[in-house]
Amino acid sequence: MNPEILLDLVKVKMPFGKYKDRLIADLPVHYLEWYASKGFPKGKMGMLLQTMYEIKLNGLEYLLKPLRNV
């Protein structure tokens, strides 16, 4: 896994939709679950959303805490 992906989760903001301008790491799990059921977008944004979904699903959010201050 590319460590830059984890940094992007705490630095990249959602570019569209109900949660526009919210950090990917701060998206609510129900929103990520909706994408999981409907299909994630293609490209980098879809990969970030899917990664964040997997992190939240597996209770691994603590991995992102040290990266928020980088």
Side-chain angles (χ1 to χ4, degrees):
M1 178 180 226
N2 182 349
E4 290 295 317
I5 293 170
L6 295 178
L7 281 174
D8 284 347
L9 293 174
V10 298
K11 293 184 185 259
V12 173
K13 293 183 178 181
M14 189 67 182
F16 52 81
K18 181 177 182 178
Y19 295 101
K20 183 179 180 187
D21 295 329
R22 190 178 289 196
L23 292 174
I24 301 298
D26 294 337
L27 292 173
V29 72
H30 67 85
Y31 189 65
L32 297 169
E33 288 170 341
W34 181 83
Y35 267 114
S37 70
K38 299 294 182 186
F40 291 100
K42 296 194 183 301
K44 184 175 181 178
M45 183 53 61
M47 183 267 308
L48 289 174
L49 291 170
Q50 188 171 9
T51 301
M52 194 64 235
Y53 174 67
E54 291 295 330
I55 287 172
K56 289 190 179 212
L57 186 68
N58 292 294
L60 301 173
E61 293 174 271
Y62 68 91
L63 295 173
L64 300 178
K65 285 184 182 181
L67 301 176
R68 289 185 181 266
N69 298 326
V70 174

